Amino acid sequence: MKRVVVLGAGTMGNGIAQVTAMFKYQVSMLDISDDLLKKGMNSIQSSLSRMEKKGKLSAEEVKETIRRITPTLDFNVVKESEIVIEAVPEQFDLKKKIFKRLDELCPKETILGTNTSSLPITEIAMATKRPEMVLGIHFMNPVPVMRGVEVIKGYHTSEETLNRAVDFLKSIDKVPGIAPDYPGFVNSRILNVYLNEAVNCVLMGATPEDVDNIMVHCCNMPIGPLRLLDMVGLDVHLSILNFLTNELGDKYKPSPLTQQMVRAGRLGMKSGKGFYDYQKS
Ligand code: CAA
């Protein structure tokens, strides 16, 4: 498998394109505007430069990685793909529309992965005539740093598809873990409850700094839950919780403070303000 197409040049899409290209795959990164592609390529460049400064990559490796990534607006690139990884916004109808089109255009051997963090793989797969070749490939943010990837087996996903995806992930130095296709899979199901409770602690009067310090120093978490929530995006977290509440009940009900902060535009790092303030570039 040497040709990968990533749909979406946002945070997840550009991270997936970068890591895949670092491991010598030819990658097409597809989006719907030049501006989005440019932002995606800038983000890749700055992540690679950071790795070069830390001595993890040579200047030549950075250049070669960039050379292997083709940013494009042309959906027809999927005709040449051996694996497609979709990382577009978490809109169910949009994803189903894209998978139907992928099925029409991709070679019959191409496996179709979605980076969704919670939407049902089985239903996305049913938009295609090859549901056995569709699966979830859920990378973690920041993709160049986080090694774990959740691989989600839909109702129809074949063992062969699963094995091909696992081999691909190992070839880019990721650590795959198989999760069932039930709401939230494993990662979102556990993580979002933890983040929600951290927000509820703030609602009850704790400061974000204290909540984070307690979880970092008492439980050895690498970063505090509210800093992590700012990284994930409060809007993303809220939409996952709304989905899980709908599917699984009130255990997942979002904190009123999260609702309020999203309404107020405090989405976390991407908006410059969340539980903490960030310099917006
Ligand atoms: N590209 C390249 N390198 C990066 C990077 C990037 N985008 N971001 C961080 N790094 C590197 C840094 O250069 C640094 O390298 P060294 O170890 O060589 O110094 C290393 O990563 C650590 O970074 P920092 O020192 O700047 O910051 P940190 O100590 O806070 O670590 C982190 C950063 C590893 C991301 C840490 O904050 C962490 O572990 N965060 C938790 C991340 C997490 O839980 N992600 C999953 C979220 S859930 C999800 O993504 C699923 C979903 O569906 C929402």
Side-chain angles (χ1 to χ4, degrees):
M1 197 191 287
K2 282 287 162 213
R3 196 166 282 275
V4 177
V5 175
V6 179
L7 304 186
T11 309
M12 298 308 286
N14 74 55
I16 298 166
Q18 174 189 328
V19 171
T20 308
M22 279 166 57
F23 286 86
K24 304 210 167 28
Y25 288 88
Q26 292 297 328
V27 186
S28 297
M29 183 171 75
L30 181 74
D31 213 315
I32 53 172
S33 80
D34 281 324
D35 190 40
L36 291 169
L37 289 174
K38 203 166 149 222
K39 280 190 186 139
M41 289 306 290
N42 285 344
S43 181
I44 292 172
Q45 182 64 63
S46 73
S47 173
L48 291 170
S49 303
R50 192 170 173 169
M51 291 175 144
E52 186 189 340
K53 274 194 208 111
K54 301 261 171 164
K56 291 176 190 165
L57 292 176
S58 68
E60 192 48 41
E61 283 168 327
V62 169
K63 270 195 219 136
E64 278 172 15
T65 301
I66 293 283
R67 250 185 254 129
R68 282 191 285 267
I69 305 173
T70 311
T72 179
L73 300 171
D74 182 6
F75 204 92
N76 284 307
V77 289
V78 304
K79 290 180 181 166
E80 306 281 307
S81 60
E82 286 156 79
I83 179 165
V84 175
I85 303 172
E86 165 276 310
V88 306
E90 290 284 85
Q91 295 160 18
F92 208 8
D93 288 342
L94 173 66
K95 293 200 191 250
K96 287 195 272 188
K97 215 163 96 190
I98 286 175
F99 273 75
K100 183 169 184 299
R101 193 141 173 242
L102 286 174
D103 188 36
E104 287 158 6
L105 292 179
C106 290
K108 62 179 186 346
E109 318 70 41
T110 306
I111 60 173
L112 309 178
T114 169
N115 184 59
T116 183
S117 53
S118 60
L119 299 172
I121 307 305
T122 302
E123 199 170 328
I124 293 173
M126 291 306 283
T128 73
K129 295 194 179 81
R130 61 177 98 181
E132 71 287 356
M133 299 185 79
V134 177
L135 80 172
I137 307 180
H138 180 205
F139 287 82
M140 303 294 140
N141 181 21
V143 181
V145 182
M146 306 304 289
R147 290 188 69 209
V149 178
E150 216 177 11
V151 178
I152 303 113
K153 185 178 187 313
Y155 186 89
H156 294 287
T157 311
S158 69
E159 284 304 314
E160 193 198 332
T161 301
L162 209 62
N163 290 338
R164 280 177 65 194
V166 164
D167 288 347
F168 163 69
L169 289 168
K170 288 183 179 163
S171 77
I172 58 169
D173 198 35
K174 295 296 183 195
V175 181
I178 313 288
D181 183 24
Y182 284 100
F185 319 131
V186 170
N187 180 268
S188 293
R189 190 169 177 137
I190 297 172
L191 181 65
N192 288 283
V193 174
Y194 165 64
L195 300 180
N196 197 33
E197 285 311 317
V199 180
N200 278 328
C201 291
V202 177
L203 188 68
M204 289 187 310
T207 66
E209 289 81 1
D210 281 334
V211 174
D212 281 351
N213 278 333
I214 289 167
M215 296 315 291
V216 169
H217 299 293
C218 300
C219 299
N220 230 3
M221 295 296 182
I223 60 168
L226 298 165
R227 251 189 213 290
L228 178 55
L229 183 48
D230 276 354
M231 235 176 90
V232 168
L234 275 74
D235 53 337
V236 172
H237 166 67
L238 179 63
S239 90
I240 295 173
L241 283 178
N242 282 333
F243 173 76
L244 292 176
T245 306
N246 195 32
E247 296 276 327
L248 299 171
D250 279 357
K251 184 165 116 189
Y252 295 90
K253 213 167 172 170
S255 169
L257 179 57
T258 310
Q259 309 254 24
Q260 184 79 324
M261 287 178 68
V262 170
R263 286 184 188 124
R266 292 190 78 116
L267 307 181
M269 280 179 181
K270 64 181 156 194
S271 69
K273 280 180 195 300
F275 285 94
Y276 298 92
D277 286 352
Y278 304 88
Q279 274 184 334
K280 204 166 177 320
S281 52

